[in-house]
Amino acid sequence: MIELLLLSFVQGVAEFLPISSSSHLILISTYFNFENQSLSLDVSLHIGSFVAVIVYFYKDLINFYENKTLFLKILLSSIPVIVTGYILIKTGQIDKIRNLETIAWTTLIFGILLYISDKFKLQKSIKEDFSFKSAIFIGTLQILSLFPGVSRSGIAITAARFLDFKRTDAGKISFLISIPILGAVSAYGFLNIFLSEDKNFTQINLLAILLSFIFSFLTIKFFLKYISRFNLSIFVIYRILIGVLLLKLAYL
């Protein structure tokens, strides 16, 4: 129970902050030698985050029905990472990039890119400036989030800031884009849970979904309030410090 609680907390918080949830799940599970951590549990934790986004942005989802163009842009931006992720999972390549060296370098490099992007202008909004071109640009860069340490929300916010979107709009774009991406992951995870005949496996994964949902919902709420008042420097500093530490652990 303690393992699930900690992993769910890490997923719920790190999924929507630009610090990478997958890398933190891998590192914490390795450090504490958790028995429950696996790709299937990782997927279940992401399901909880998916449900949290749906619940928090339900009004925007209703607007999707009224604004089919925005829905198409969000869907289009999610296709590259969904297709690439599916290929990596089916070929078994996804497990080969889940290592300390990869996490160390991506945490550091994309922390620096986050810093650079946050120096761009604060002038664009989703309502007025989220074009098909920007959707494709952000969606293509989302492929990089398949590497642990990059951060799905981090690369989406970075890409949006490079395009001069305001911080709150960049954050909102990253949340909305996560809906089809997390939805695809959730469909895969629910299928595994449904087909499993192991009751313990099912119970663990359902509990993980519930706990992750709670922490994810709270993180979305407070993160949007934070970036409406402050810049992203605290996350940049965190990533650089963690990246340097991991590099020392990986190569020394």
Side-chain angles (χ1 to χ4, degrees):
M1 181 62 185
I2 298 299
E3 292 183 16
L4 276 182
L5 186 63
L6 181 56
L7 291 174
S8 298
F9 172 77
V10 171
Q11 165 61 26
V13 173
E15 174 65 28
F16 298 107
L17 301 184
I19 59 176
S20 178
S21 61
S22 59
S23 65
H24 282 72
L25 290 172
I26 294 170
L27 293 172
I28 289 178
S29 298
T30 302
Y31 181 79
F32 289 105
N33 195 27
F34 284 167
E35 296 179 358
N36 286 321
Q37 211 285 324
S38 63
L39 184 57
S40 63
L41 181 61
D42 196 344
V43 169
S44 293
L45 293 171
H46 280 76
I47 293 175
S49 295
F50 168 69
V51 177
V53 175
I54 294 295
V55 173
Y56 192 89
F57 290 102
Y58 75 93
K59 290 183 179 179
D60 294 273
L61 293 178
I62 294 174
N63 290 336
F64 274 167
Y65 180 77
E66 300 173 354
N67 188 349
K68 295 181 177 62
T69 302
L70 176 60
F71 173 77
L72 183 59
K73 293 172 185 175
I74 294 297
L75 184 61
L76 181 64
S77 66
S78 67
I79 291 176
V81 68
I82 291 176
V83 173
T84 307
Y86 178 80
I87 294 173
L88 289 177
I89 290 175
K90 286 301 181 181
T91 59
Q93 296 299 310
I94 193 72
D95 293 318
K96 295 182 180 180
I97 59 177
R98 293 164 64 90
N99 56 69
L100 183 60
E101 290 81 5
T102 298
I103 294 173
W105 282 110
T106 54
T107 298
L108 179 61
I109 292 172
F110 287 92
I112 296 173
L113 287 177
L114 180 64
Y115 172 79
I116 295 172
S117 71
D118 202 36
K119 298 301 179 182
F120 279 59
K121 297 177 181 179
L122 299 166
Q123 61 183 29
K124 293 184 178 179
S125 65
I126 295 177
K127 186 176 181 180
E128 301 293 334
D129 305 291
F130 189 55
S131 63
F132 279 101
K133 184 178 180 179
S134 59
I136 293 173
F137 175 74
I138 296 172
T140 301
L141 289 187
Q142 283 272 302
I143 294 176
L144 297 171
S145 68
L146 294 170
F147 290 87
V150 172
S151 171
R152 184 204 55 75
S153 62
I155 193 63
I157 292 173
T158 297
R161 289 293 294 115
F162 271 128
L163 295 176
D164 296 330
F165 279 93
K166 301 172 185 176
R167 293 189 186 95
T168 50
D169 287 271
K172 198 169 184 178
I173 288 173
S174 79
F175 293 145
L176 293 176
I177 289 178
S178 76
I179 292 176
I181 296 172
L182 292 176
V185 173
S186 298
Y188 173 80
F190 272 126
L191 181 62
N192 284 342
I193 294 174
F194 178 76
L195 295 177
S196 176
E197 298 180 358
D198 186 340
K199 292 184 178 180
N200 185 56
F201 173 86
T202 300
Q203 291 174 350
I204 289 175
N205 282 275
L206 289 177
L207 181 58
I209 292 172
L210 175 61
L211 292 173
S212 177
F213 163 78
I214 295 173
F215 291 122
S216 295
F217 186 87
L218 293 174
T219 300
I220 294 171
K221 179 179 180 179
F222 290 108
F223 178 61
L224 285 175
K225 288 184 178 180
Y226 179 87
I227 60 176
S228 68
R229 300 176 59 189
F230 305 102
N231 61 30
L232 300 170
S233 295
I234 188 173
F235 303 108
V236 172
I237 294 171
Y238 176 80
R239 290 186 66 110
I240 291 176
L241 290 176
I242 294 297
V244 171
L245 176 61
L246 294 178
L247 284 172
K248 294 179 71 174
L249 291 175
Y251 295 103
L252 296 180

